Amino acid sequence: MAIKIEKKIVGYNVLSEDDKAKAAEAAQPKVEQKTAEVVQLGEPLSRPDKLVGNTYKIKTPVTEHALYITINDVIMNEGTPQEHRRPFEIFINSKNMDHFQWIVALTRVMSAVFRKGGDVTFLVEELHSVFDPSGGYFKKGGKYIPSLVAEIGEVVEQHLQEIGMLKKPEPDQHQKKLIEEKRAEYLAKQSDSSSETELSAEGFPKGSQLCNKCHTKAAIIMDGCLTCLNCGESKCG
């Protein structure tokens, strides 16, 4: 299509392909690029001059000397109705130096998680899920502990229950009554038979199997069904 120029030409420029592309970009509306927002889970707590805490002693078959686990707490919202304690740091001390390196690393990481704030109860489950390839052991009460790390998790769980961050899992009144009835029924059947039932130091029949729910050697066969005399768990429902 021809274009008639009626005015006098006083100058001209030759547009290259790059110039045309730049002109097209300038004509398009600019879109603002949004940067990703960083969400902080919580500000790390600063250490007060004074902390309150508990020290727990554990003696396991896998360590020659006892372990002393100290968990210090910080008091939040002191002097208000919302006052509560939450763990701030953890230390583990022992004469045995075989596990020194990984214990120091574990306690430093756990203390950093405590100070970060938020929900720290997930540490209990993570520690419980660590299994020793050499095998675990049974602690007093007949409960199976899969590793030394899991034993540390037991102490952390006990401490969180004491300060109110975790609820202690206990059977209700109906479950307690059912467990007592099952135990009495089992002992009565064994007393009627020729063989007497020998009880362990924990009060459960010797030779009991390990319960998959409470990890205690208290599961026995009753009426053709595996039933736990500690927590009431039964394969028959």
Side-chain angles (χ1 to χ4, degrees):
M1 179 179 177
I3 300 176
K4 184 179 179 181
I5 301 176
E6 298 179 351
K7 296 182 178 180
K8 185 177 180 181
I9 298 175
V10 295
Y12 66 91
N13 289 322
V14 179
L15 294 178
S16 64
E17 294 296 329
D18 293 339
D19 295 333
K20 291 181 180 180
K22 290 180 180 179
E25 277 186 20
Q28 292 179 355
K30 293 184 179 180
V31 179
E32 295 183 359
Q33 294 183 349
K34 294 183 178 180
T35 57
E37 295 181 359
V38 179
V39 179
Q40 295 288 346
L41 295 179
E43 290 295 331
L45 299 174
S46 58
R47 192 187 193 285
D49 295 333
K50 181 180 178 180
L51 293 174
V52 294
N54 298 341
T55 299
Y56 305 86
K57 176 184 177 181
I58 60 173
K59 184 70 175 69
T60 71
V62 298
T63 55
E64 182 180 357
H65 300 282
L67 293 176
Y68 296 89
I69 304 176
T70 300
I71 304 179
N72 291 328
D73 302 323
V74 61
I75 301 178
M76 307 295 294
N77 303 319
E78 188 173 2
T80 68
Q82 291 77 32
E83 179 178 325
H84 64 280
R85 288 169 58 178
R86 62 170 297 118
F88 184 85
E89 59 191 8
I90 179 172
F91 303 100
I92 301 179
N93 188 27
S94 176
K95 292 181 180 179
N96 188 2
M97 301 296 291
D98 293 342
H99 309 286
F100 177 76
Q101 290 186 0
W102 69 261
I103 282 182
V104 170
L106 178 65
T107 53
R108 287 187 178 181
V109 171
M110 292 177 63
S111 297
V113 173
F114 289 159
R115 292 169 185 159
K116 189 63 178 176
D119 185 11
V120 299
T121 58
F122 73 93
L123 287 174
V124 173
E125 184 178 352
E126 293 296 331
L127 296 175
H128 280 168
S129 61
V130 177
F131 291 81
D132 190 339
S134 301
Y137 53 89
F138 289 92
K139 64 183 296 186
K140 187 177 180 181
K143 186 172 183 179
Y144 178 73
I145 303 297
S147 66
L148 179 58
V149 176
E151 179 85 14
I152 297 174
E154 288 281 318
V155 173
V156 175
E157 181 180 24
Q158 178 184 348
H159 185 78
L160 294 182
Q161 290 171 353
E162 288 187 4
I163 64 177
M165 291 190 69
L166 278 179
K167 291 184 178 180
K168 190 174 183 179
E170 292 183 348
D172 55 27
Q173 295 298 326
H174 176 72
Q175 290 175 321
K176 289 181 179 178
K177 183 179 179 181
L178 179 63
I179 292 172
E180 292 299 327
E181 290 176 354
K182 290 290 184 181
R183 182 179 297 186
E185 180 183 349
Y186 178 80
L187 295 177
K189 286 183 179 180
Q190 294 299 317
S191 61
D192 293 339
S193 62
S194 57
S195 59
E196 294 184 0
T197 303
E198 294 185 6
L199 300 180
S200 64
E202 292 76 32
F204 303 115
K206 287 188 175 181
S208 300
Q209 300 183 37
L210 184 67
C211 175
N212 293 327
K213 183 178 180 181
C214 65
H215 305 292
T216 304
K217 291 185 70 175
I220 47 90
I221 300 294
M222 288 189 63
D223 302 325
C225 185
L226 191 64
T227 304
C228 180
L229 298 179
N230 183 56
C231 66
E233 175 72 5
S234 175
K235 293 294 183 182
C236 300

